Amino acid sequence: MEDTHTPRLSVRGVTKTYGAFTALNEVSFELRGGEIMALLGENGAGKSTLVKILSGLVAPDAGEIVIDGEAVDLDTVAASQAAGIAVVQQEYSTVPTMSVADNLFLGQAAAPWIRRPRRLVREAREILARVGLEHLDPRVEVATLSVAEMQLVEIARVLARDARILIFDEPTAALSDAEVGRVLDAARRLAGEGRSIIYVTHRLGEVFEIADRVTIFRNGTSEPPYDVDDLDVDTVVAKMIGRELAHLYPDRGTGGGQVVLEARKLVAPGFRAPLDMVVRAGEIHGLTGQVGSGASAVIEALAGLAPVLDGELRIDGSAGAARSRRAGIRAGVAYCSPDRKRDGIFAQSSVRHNLSSPWLSSVSRSGFIKRAQETRSASAVADAFALDAGRLDRTLGSLSGGNQQKVAVGKWSGIRPRVLLVEEPTRGVDVGARADIYATLRRIAESGVAVVVCSSDTNEVLGLSDTVTTFYRGVATHSRPAAAWTEHELVREVLHREEVSA
């Protein structure tokens, strides 16, 4: 870490309010040259507001921002970029049909190499090498890249602007454990060059792996930074949520219920071998593997989102449930998407309307919704899923990611599902909300539902599930009780033995 007397970035007493709501209250911290500072806090704690202020999207109401000893006015995105700040977003901003090289320099039309293709490619190779993509051909289209490579290209794009302060905003949320390491290596490499990094994440393991210091946000305020060496996970969680979190994962179920979901020699797109799987009432069955391993393909086939090419799928002994998504819902199969913003919720609608969306027919007649009945039913769901019933009329998109995810899961309880399929249940969700979601999934299972969870987070799968099935290159490799796995064995299986030893 670069040792300088003048901090690279100083945030002094920054305050931001929205009406009666205070998003930030006199937040202060300093970022040194060559340092990786982790920014932690629950959803709604103020992290996103600070990132928007530093990136020029939102103006603070009070306070001062100082870069290299000089106060700056970050009133626009252009001003933020001119000050040497760049944000690596969780959601990709690249153009899939353009080449990697063109994406790196997109928006820099005045640069001389834009008109000289050979120099464009040469410059692109140099930048890609700095994020660990030295073997990537800059001339290929972004659409051909893996998810991890796309994220590294996002990082490379900010280097093309020669930014000195990089904000990594949930950069690994969509990545498997195997791919996360490539992003962390890139962050270390850039800090080694003297660049300063603000690292926003909900994955606490990453913090202890790469961060030098930690600044914790809670209810719009910030605490003085802590050295990572002085912290442990339990201490961080307690400071983030204001209470001790005794158990992140609920106790496992007793199992032994009747068979609810049964796949026999099932074949679907993304499978390289037929699948046999049984899930019982009261059980949480975890599926895990690297991105593209086939785990998510199983969920899509079970939900009716992908065609069953061969074999048989039975729900409570009845075949044919997966012919279509509609048929699956009629058979009692509920599905929660890994991308709640795209197809899991209606962000611009109220919490009440979101909760009632799968079961509108039960609270409507002749095309008209019975408002009182809808409210009573939605309030019951909100209570069961630890949602504030007083927020039923709030726009769902205005709530935290954790509350949005609770709605995305909870809305299906109204159809009394026999099977609940959930992909990446806590992606982009803070640790406090994670505990609530895990407890909710366990309560659903205990009500007699067969729950199938697909996650690229091996710790999550191991901690939450009763049974774990691993996938590799379209094949289910092993399936056994979660208690029979160790964390090391599970990670090794997901990476596959041949690759680990290579």
Side-chain angles (χ1 to χ4, degrees):
M1 184 187 357
E2 184 178 290
D3 185 15
T4 59
H5 297 292
T6 303
R8 175 68 52 79
L9 169 70
S10 297
V11 176
R12 301 174 180 173
V14 168
T15 297
K16 180 63 183 179
T17 60
Y18 295 95
F21 174 69
T22 301
L24 294 177
N25 184 19
E26 297 188 358
V27 165
S28 300
F29 75 91
E30 292 183 342
L31 179 67
R32 303 164 182 162
E35 177 181 38
I36 300 178
M37 169 77 77
L39 214 60
L40 302 180
E42 293 189 273
N43 285 326
K47 307 184 306 297
S48 295
T49 301
L50 179 63
V51 170
K52 289 176 182 177
I53 288 173
L54 293 176
S55 58
L57 294 171
V58 170
D61 298 323
E64 185 179 43
I65 297 172
V66 178
I67 296 179
D68 291 331
E70 295 185 9
V72 295
D73 185 3
L74 307 179
D75 55 347
T76 65
V77 173
S80 173
Q81 292 177 353
I85 299 174
V87 182
V88 179
Q89 301 284 359
Q90 174 184 339
E91 298 176 359
Y92 307 135
S93 59
T94 48
V95 180
T97 56
M98 293 178 63
S99 73
V100 171
D102 287 336
N103 269 280
L104 291 182
F105 300 106
L106 193 63
Q108 301 185 42
W113 54 80
I114 294 299
R115 297 185 295 273
R116 298 166 61 180
R118 289 184 180 178
R119 183 173 178 184
L120 173 71
V121 170
R122 186 171 67 251
E123 295 280 348
R125 289 189 191 279
E126 293 175 0
I127 293 172
L128 291 171
R130 289 162 63 188
V131 297
L133 292 177
E134 56 272 5
H135 301 302
L136 180 65
D137 186 347
R139 295 166 294 187
V140 302
E141 288 188 359
V142 167
T144 65
L145 306 183
S146 69
V147 176
E149 288 171 336
M150 288 184 185
Q151 186 64 77
L152 292 169
V153 169
E154 286 285 339
I155 298 172
R157 287 188 68 190
V158 304
L159 293 183
R161 296 200 299 268
D162 199 31
R164 295 172 297 156
I165 300 170
L166 308 181
I167 303 174
F168 285 54
D169 191 6
E170 292 283 347
T172 62
L175 304 184
S176 69
D177 290 349
E179 296 170 316
V180 167
R182 301 180 69 181
V183 174
L184 300 187
D185 286 344
R188 293 188 191 96
R189 190 179 294 112
L190 296 175
E193 294 178 1
R195 299 176 195 276
S196 303
I197 297 174
I198 296 174
Y199 196 89
V200 184
T201 184
H202 289 309
R203 292 184 167 187
L204 297 185
E206 297 175 9
V207 174
F208 291 93
E209 212 172 322
I210 67 165
D212 300 301
R213 293 190 299 160
V214 173
T215 294
I216 296 174
F217 279 58
R218 184 163 170 256
N219 297 328
T221 63
S222 63
E223 297 190 19
Y226 299 90
D227 288 335
V228 167
D229 292 341
D230 296 334
L231 297 171
D232 57 30
V233 172
D234 290 339
T235 302
V236 170
V237 170
K239 291 181 180 297
M240 284 172 56
I241 67 179
R243 66 184 189 277
E244 295 289 341
L245 192 62
H247 298 288
L248 178 60
Y249 300 105
D251 293 336
R252 291 194 174 101
T254 56
Q258 69 182 49
V259 173
V260 175
L261 182 152
E262 184 177 11
R264 298 178 179 174
K265 306 297 182 183
L266 197 69
V267 178
F271 290 25
R272 290 180 55 244
L275 173 71
D276 290 308
M277 186 172 76
V278 170
V279 187
R280 299 179 179 274
E283 178 186 10
I284 297 179
H285 194 120
L287 313 179
T288 190
Q290 300 182 59
V291 174
S293 66
S296 61
V298 171
I299 291 282
E300 291 176 0
L302 299 179
L305 295 168
V308 172
L309 304 177
D310 198 5
E312 192 174 51
L313 175 64
R314 291 180 174 270
I315 306 296
D316 285 328
S318 299
R323 288 193 303 269
S324 67
R325 184 71 197 99
R326 184 182 297 273
I329 292 174
R330 284 199 300 266
V333 179
Y335 166 73
C336 293
S337 163
D339 189 345
R340 62 176 177 268
K341 291 184 178 180
R342 186 185 67 183
D343 49 18
I345 63 172
F346 302 104
Q348 301 307 313
S349 294
S350 68
V351 174
R352 184 181 67 255
H353 289 334
N354 271 273
L355 288 173
S356 65
S357 58
W359 35 272
L360 273 177
S361 60
S362 66
V363 292
S364 61
R365 177 178 296 175
S366 302
F368 293 95
I369 297 175
K370 300 175 183 179
R371 175 68 177 267
Q373 185 176 345
E374 181 192 32
T375 299
R376 284 195 301 272
S377 299
S379 296
V381 174
D383 182 61
F385 285 82
L387 291 162
D388 184 358
R391 294 184 174 185
L392 287 179
D393 289 321
R394 289 274 300 273
T395 300
L396 182 54
S398 68
L399 302 188
S400 69
N403 282 320
Q404 290 178 22
Q405 187 70 352
K406 289 179 188 178
V407 171
V409 175
K411 69 181 184 180
W412 292 105
S413 64
I415 71 168
R416 300 180 184 275
R418 297 296 295 131
V419 178
L420 174 62
L421 311 172
V422 188
E423 284 196 76
E424 305 295 348
T426 59
R427 177 177 291 173
V429 171
D430 63 70
V431 67
R434 281 182 179 224
D436 288 341
I437 290 170
Y438 296 148
T440 294
L441 291 173
R442 178 54 65 186
R443 285 198 301 272
I444 292 173
E446 289 175 346
S447 72
V449 176
V451 178
V452 182
V453 171
C454 174
S455 176
S456 56
D457 185 336
T458 52
N459 286 329
E460 178 171 83
V461 169
L462 190 60
L464 179 63
S465 306
D466 301 304
T467 303
V468 175
T469 299
T470 56
F471 288 81
Y472 183 78
R473 294 185 178 177
V475 178
T477 53
H478 283 90
S479 183
R480 58 180 186 246
W485 291 96
T486 67
E487 182 179 347
H488 176 77
E489 289 172 339
L490 185 57
V491 171
R492 183 181 177 85
E493 189 63 40
V494 166
L495 294 177
H496 208 260
R497 289 181 175 84
E498 288 85 350
E499 291 194 356
V500 171
S501 60

